[in-house]
Amino acid sequence: MPAISAGIDEKTLELTLKSLRDFAKDRLPDKLLLDLDLRDECPLDVVRGMCGDDLGIQLLFIPEEFGGMGGGAFDVYRVCEEMARIDLGIATAVLATFLGSDPIRIGGTPEQQKLWMTRIAEEGLLFAYAATEPEAGSDLAALRTTAERVMKDGSIAGYKINGNKQWISNGGIADAYTVLANTPGGPSWFVVEKGAPGFTHDRPEDKHGIRTSNTAALSFEDVYVDADHLLGGVEGQGLMQAQAVFGYTRLMVAAFGLGAGWAALDRAIPYSTERIQAGTPLSQKQGYTHKLIVPHVARLEAARAYIESTAERIDSGEGSLNTEGAIAKYLASEAGNLAADASIQALGGYGYTREYKVEKIKRDVRITTIYEGTSEIMEMTISRDRWQQHLKTRGQHYHEEAAPLEALHGKHSDVGANIAALAHHALAVVMEKARAARLTRHQHILLRLGELIAFAECAGSLARRAALSAEGKLPEKANRRFDSQTLATIARTFAREAALKVAEDGLRLVVGADGVSASEISEFEIALRLPEIHRAQAGSIADMDSICGALYGTRELAKSA
């Protein structure tokens, strides 16, 4: 994947975010969104307005040479987070055009890129990304849709496409579709315009959530396209082109999980200041705040730290960073889903009703753990890549990654870097034990390692981010929701959770798979540094109290039972 530009300047980004908020306030009030959700209706006029002259949000995704703004990965993350805070279904409709144009942006010829990207910029064309199939699911290599060559005078004049696609965002409303199909030369991308003879779509799916988006199945029966609709002009490049953007597109879905999770918490937090129980507001009860609010704040901000650092690396030209994109998507989508679930619990019976938007947010955010690769595929992607790192370094990879965190602790003792380092050391020990006992033959263990890797790496990322905040060195375009002191407290809180999870879950997995004998368990516990990790939990309640103080606007919080 070519390097993404550094993007737009901070002032332009903030104006873009403000314009998006103003548009939503005027065109998408909560009552309308709830009504659209109940009717299972995608507001096509609003989506076209967002991708047209009314707002022009699609310009952020388009390179400047084609009339766009040339936004970088960081800019797109910030906008995707904001869109998800407004409505995840409509955000999905907008992102679908970006996903649908990816095969063109990455694999198209210069002529194809100019034609289609310029049309998206100037006409606000809506695109759809047609890769998933009814039986193949996320396994792109198993696709059955075919594109048969049509010959004329010994040359390829065009192709006839036959097959079916499933779960296609914008499937029933797009102006054009990028379609993955098998040619004689291998999987390849084609552009198919709406109205092509033989091309049809089903009625919208009756979905659990994101009901304000359009999702429909597609059918192709001898759909003819000219040869110049084969992206790149060469057969067999489709899977490579798809892989080239996974890190980038999954980062955007991570931003969706982050935005939706915070949208839910931002309703639960003020509710708790107004709801009085036993003479005091819920906001002053640890049973409420320390279970339903603080842990989710910590996980979401850990995901944000990893999203931001990955976006910065993509913008600096490091490539697609597929594994890092998978880690960001995994933690952010799972954290967003849990935060929304906790917010329903936080509102009690009100949260369970459609009148209160947290119920809708919970149904919407669930999709982020499924589309653009399920959480299980993310776990597998993470685990396979980092397993190779473990083998190449003879088990030293995460020990080596812990060293800079330990050094960081010497400069910033309050950001939890030393605890994050313990998580890394424990992870290295678990992975080495899994290697020695050949435990990755169990698929369950391989996937669970992916989860532990995500927690450890995000703990390190949040500690580093908190240190940058303390030094006043956060990038100008970073989200500064919390001051440096609070961010450091959040970093310590998440690092404690990550270290405990890696060590204790790792112990359970290894012992459960008979990776150590009964007589070796004590030695294994010492190797995991469990006593140090347990000691690192000291101060956790006080830190949670402090986070609550920041969330509720006071440093002192009553500690009601």
Side-chain angles (χ1 to χ4, degrees), residues 379-380 383-384 440 442-450:
E379 290 171 344
M380 184 65 76
S383 188
R384 282 177 171 171
T440 55
H442 301 288
Q443 188 186 59
H444 174 64
I445 287 184
L446 195 60
L447 265 62
R448 297 280 51 77
L449 285 176

Side-chain angles (χ1 to χ4, degrees), residues 28-41:
L28 292 169
D30 279 357
K31 185 180 185 304
L32 175 61
L33 291 171
L34 290 170
D35 288 344
L36 290 168
D37 176 78
L38 184 63
R39 300 198 303 266
D40 194 13
E41 179 183 333

Side-chain angles (χ1 to χ4, degrees), residues 95 249-258 329 332-333 368 371-372:
L95 183 68
T249 57
R250 285 170 177 167
L251 202 68
M252 304 307 104
V253 178
F256 278 179
L258 176 66
K329 180 187 182 299
S333 63
T368 64
Y371 65 11
E372 273 301 286

